[in-house]
């Protein structure tokens, strides 16, 4: 049985005090929720203080990126040890905004995924097709390549612990959500590819859907058998709407 994971990606939003204030309100609102794992991924600058605020609660902390080298002359980068030190147990890897604006490739995604796993940090590896790729009927070939290359060469145990997020690029921040059937079709395809790569780990790996998830569409998405949670941008920025996502009706 896979425990649902509701993850908030705050992207480049919120100062330290704003982040702490949202997480404080969220903490109060989700007290006692045990059937859904809750995760917030603030900007690097807010990680430490947000971690102080959520200590002992049911909210987990994640970073939005990492670099695979342990230390050294890599100006502007941040290591697994640094995000662990700030309290992170998760990290988002290969978000489409990083692929689009910061040159991330399946190869860098793979290096980051392996670095995270080696440091006992759970990577949330993002995959997804652009609108053009969907219109060109290339969705499945794009996803297969991203999954095979981004998640290559990890152990079976690491494969079970990894989280994958299917985020169609055309649905991120656009208000256009994939229909539950469209999302399920790709999620089950990802699980099939994963089974070829990592056998029984495919039944354990959690596959999140991301792309304009909101309190109005979350329940129908979560009813699908291969959708194990959400990676949520806009609707995770305020405690009230994120709480509704965490407490979606089952
Ligand atoms: C995201 O940040 O990964 C995302 C899916 O954003 P939004 O929910 O705003 O579409």
């Amino acid at each position: 049985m896979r425990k649902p994971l509701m993850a908030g990606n705050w992207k480049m939003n919120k100062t330290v005090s704003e982040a702490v204030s949202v997480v404080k309100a969220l903490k109060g609102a989700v007290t006692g929720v045990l059937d859904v794992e809750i995760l917030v991924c603030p900007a690097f600058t807010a990680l430490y203080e947000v971690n102080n605020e959520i200590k002992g609660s049911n909210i987990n902390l994640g970073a939005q990126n990492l670099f695979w080298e342990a230390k050294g002359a890599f100006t502007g980068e941040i290591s697994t040890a640094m995000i662990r030190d700030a309290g992170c147990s998760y990290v988002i890897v290969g978000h489409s905004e990083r692929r689009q604006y910061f040159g991330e490739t399946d190869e860098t995604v793979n290096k980051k995924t392996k670095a995270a796993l080696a440091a006992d940090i759970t990577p949330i590896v993002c995959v997804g097709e652009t609108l053009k790729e969907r219109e060109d009927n290339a969705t499945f070939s794009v996803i297969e390549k991203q999954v095979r290359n981004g998640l290559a060469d990890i152990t079976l145990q690491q494969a079970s612990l990894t989280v994958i997020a299917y985020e169609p690029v055309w649905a991120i921040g656009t208000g256009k959500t994939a229909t539950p059937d469209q999302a399920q079709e790709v999620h089950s395809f990802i699980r099939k590819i994963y089974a070829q790569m990592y056998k029984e780990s495919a039944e354990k790996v959690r596959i999140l859907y991301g792309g304009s998830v909101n309190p109005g569409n979350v329940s129908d998405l979560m009813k699908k058998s291969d959708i194990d949670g959400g990676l949520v941008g806009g609707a995770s920025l305020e405690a009230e709407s994120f709480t509704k996502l965490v407490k979606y009706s089952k």
Side-chain angles (χ1 to χ4, degrees), residues 9 11 95 97 167 171-174 210-213 231-234:
N9 172 16
K11 311 194 187 191
H95 191 281
E97 287 151 14
E167 300 207 302
I172 298 178
T174 58
S212 299
V213 176
L231 179 57
V232 187

Side-chain angles (χ1 to χ4, degrees), residues 47-62:
L47 289 175
Y48 184 84
E49 289 299 341
V50 168
N51 188 46
N52 281 341
E53 189 59 47
I54 61 178
K55 264 186 196 142
S57 79
N58 54 348
I59 302 176
N60 298 287
L61 188 67

